[in-house]
């Protein structure tokens, strides 16, 4: 039985879905949503990565003039196709039957 996304996970999901195809890291999500980087990383791991909906991809980016290795956050094909609202509606239909 699927459960509704937490408020934190919903904020992360909305940001990642809206910025699909762009390059961003957990700090970018945190800055845009008002969450901490720790909250963002925890949500990505617990709510999305273990379900195969998001992945972290190691890349080198220039940060403050220095080349740094970072973990970019990306939706997987499964994540692009996933609709948390549809999953919730499906669950409600099963309960009603």
């Amino acid at each position: 039985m699927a459960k509704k996304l937490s408020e934190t996970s919903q904020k992360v999901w909305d940001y990642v879905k809206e910025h699909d195809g762009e390059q961003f890291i957990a700090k970018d999500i945190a800055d845009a949503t008002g969450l901490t980087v720790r909250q963002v990383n925890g949500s990505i791991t617990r709510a999305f990565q273990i379900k195969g909906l998001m992945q972290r991809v190691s890349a080198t980016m220039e940060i403050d003039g220095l080349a740094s290795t970072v973990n970019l956050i990306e939706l997987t094909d499964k994540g692009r196709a996933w609709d948390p609202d549809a999953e919730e509606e499906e669950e409600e239909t099963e309960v009603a039957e």
Side-chain angles (χ1 to χ4, degrees):
M1 187 187 280
K3 63 181 182 179
K4 186 176 178 182
L5 291 176
S6 70
E7 184 178 336
T8 298
S9 293
Q10 186 66 57
K11 287 180 180 182
V12 171
W13 174 256
D14 291 344
Y15 182 91
V16 174
K17 189 75 171 174
E18 183 177 328
H19 296 275
D20 187 26
E22 299 174 25
Q23 290 190 333
F24 52 88
I25 59 176
K27 183 178 181 330
D28 297 323
I29 300 170
D31 290 345
T33 60
L35 300 170
T36 66
V37 172
R38 184 175 180 165
Q39 287 175 303
V40 170
N41 279 321
S43 179
I44 289 168
T45 300
R46 285 188 320 274
F48 305 113
Q49 193 170 5
I50 62 173
K51 295 175 185 172
L53 302 172
M54 291 182 193
Q55 63 187 0
R56 291 179 171 95
V57 178
S58 185
T60 303
M61 293 179 71
E62 187 174 314
I63 300 175
D64 296 329
L66 300 172
S68 300
T69 301
V70 297
N71 287 315
L72 300 175
I73 310 300
E74 296 181 351
L75 283 174
T76 62
D77 288 340
K78 183 178 177 182
R80 284 183 191 92
W82 186 65
D83 181 356
D85 296 327
E87 189 171 294
E88 190 175 329
E89 288 172 14
E90 182 179 302
E91 180 181 314
E92 289 172 4
T93 302
E94 290 173 6
V95 171
E97 292 175 351

